[in-house]
Amino acid sequence: MRKPVIAIDGYSSTGKSSISKIIAHELGLVHLDTGALYRGITLFALNNCTTADNQIDLPHLFRRLSEIKLEFKVINNDLVTFLNGIDISKEIRTNKISQTVSLIARQKEIRDFLMETQRAAAKNGGIIMDGRDIGTVILPDADFKFFLTASIEERTKRRFLELQRLGIEADEDTVMKNLTQRDKIDSEREFAPLRKADDAIVIDNSNLSKLETIQLILSHIQTF
Ligand code: DC
């Protein structure tokens, strides 16, 4: 039997990736964190495609997209992101990347470049993909679509704790500003903006634990 394709979209720090990872494990699916793809390209751009005054040179980046190879490997039960053979999973979580990634994700050239990779991963089913435009643009025919949201205060708290766990220095004010700004850019951009698909199930998990959110999602999947 063909395994399902599940799309999980929503705001930053609603727990999309960690929740998707656990659901993938429960249901025997592959998990693809598409935000890591945009973060990986941002890292490449910051390392290789900047102007003399340290701004990202977008035309230069677009010319070099074919040099970028992003891969995921499961290591010790964790999905590790590789950029051209180098483990970048920690580096792509830094504030610098978080502050720059929306500029990269807004570019049509970048979205087009990543579209086929994402669609190809879902071709044979058996995948849960989390991002911003999975249910609307990348996989409009997904079997299940969820849209996660939560209050800005709760999301700030979660992101701050995540950064602390990773040993990355941050303060709550900066984290909140970054989340608010990123959601604004992601929602207002011209191509594939962050938007709930018409047929997505909305889950506000401000007052739900990670486990409760997972159980709620699983209950929808199991009743179909
Ligand atoms: O989920 P995340 O915070 O790691 O995503 C990083 C950025 O990438 C986020 O600001 C929006 C963008 N993104 C996107 O535009 N489309 C996706 N499918 C996933 C992420």
Side-chain angles (χ1 to χ4, degrees):
M1 203 178 70
R2 189 180 176 273
K3 287 185 176 175
V5 169
I6 304 173
I8 308 239
D9 290 304
Y11 290 97
S12 305
S13 293
T14 44
K16 294 185 302 290
S17 283
S18 56
I19 285 165
S20 299
K21 181 178 157 190
I22 295 168
I23 293 175
H25 185 74
E26 284 278 314
L27 302 180
L29 309 175
V30 170
H31 166 224
L32 183 63
D33 163 11
T34 62
L37 300 172
Y38 292 92
R39 287 173 180 270
I41 294 187
T42 306
L43 179 64
F44 180 90
L46 287 169
N47 287 343
N48 301 288
C49 312
T50 51
T51 56
D53 57 349
N54 248 347
Q55 301 299 309
I56 290 182
D57 180 346
L58 287 170
H60 182 187
L61 171 63
F62 299 157
R63 282 197 301 277
R64 294 189 59 179
L65 284 176
S66 62
E67 293 173 36
I68 299 178
K69 190 167 174 229
L70 287 157
E71 295 168 290
F72 293 99
K73 292 181 194 164
V74 180
I75 299 178
N76 295 332
N77 242 346
D78 260 331
L79 198 67
V80 179
T81 314
F82 286 83
L83 168 63
N84 295 338
I86 295 167
D87 175 359
I88 54 162
S89 34
K90 185 169 173 199
E91 233 177 321
I92 56 172
R93 302 291 154 199
T94 58
N95 259 331
K96 180 71 188 160
I97 299 287
S98 297
Q99 278 159 9
T100 319
V101 63
S102 284
L103 164 76
I104 298 296
R106 205 166 73 190
Q107 310 302 322
K108 185 174 189 309
E109 287 81 351
I110 305 289
R111 305 205 74 84
D112 287 348
F113 174 69
L114 291 176
M115 182 176 306
E116 273 322 301
T117 313
Q118 296 171 83
R119 285 192 175 157
K123 203 174 61 195
N124 298 320
I127 195 162
I128 180 162
M129 225 183 256
D130 75 275
R132 304 295 190 290
D133 62 337
I134 309 303
T136 50
V137 175
I138 303 295
L139 306 173
D141 297 327
D143 300 299
F144 301 99
K145 296 180 187 178
F146 296 93
F147 190 85
L148 299 191
T149 181
S151 71
I152 183 68
E153 291 78 15
E154 189 53 40
R155 294 189 290 123
T156 300
K157 211 161 40 179
R158 291 176 192 165
R159 176 96 183 115
F160 180 69
L161 290 176
E162 184 195 356
L163 290 173
Q164 274 194 329
R165 260 198 310 273
L166 288 169
I168 296 171
E169 227 175 280
D171 66 273
E172 290 201 43
D173 245 21
T174 312
V175 170
M176 187 183 281
K177 270 192 208 124
N178 173 249
L179 285 179
T180 311
Q181 197 182 18
R182 208 137 56 90
D183 288 340
K184 184 170 157 52
I185 300 175
D186 292 340
S187 307
E188 292 177 356
R189 71 181 172 222
E190 186 180 357
F191 306 105
L194 165 62
R195 189 171 64 71
K196 178 190 105 56
D198 293 338
D199 50 351
I201 296 166
V202 179
I203 296 182
D204 181 337
N205 66 11
S206 305
N207 297 309
L208 297 180
S209 67
K210 192 188 285 185
L211 187 63
E212 287 168 330
T213 309
I214 292 166
Q215 282 166 342
L216 187 55
I217 292 176
L218 286 175
S219 74
H220 283 289
I221 293 173
Q222 276 144 14
T223 52
F224 271 81

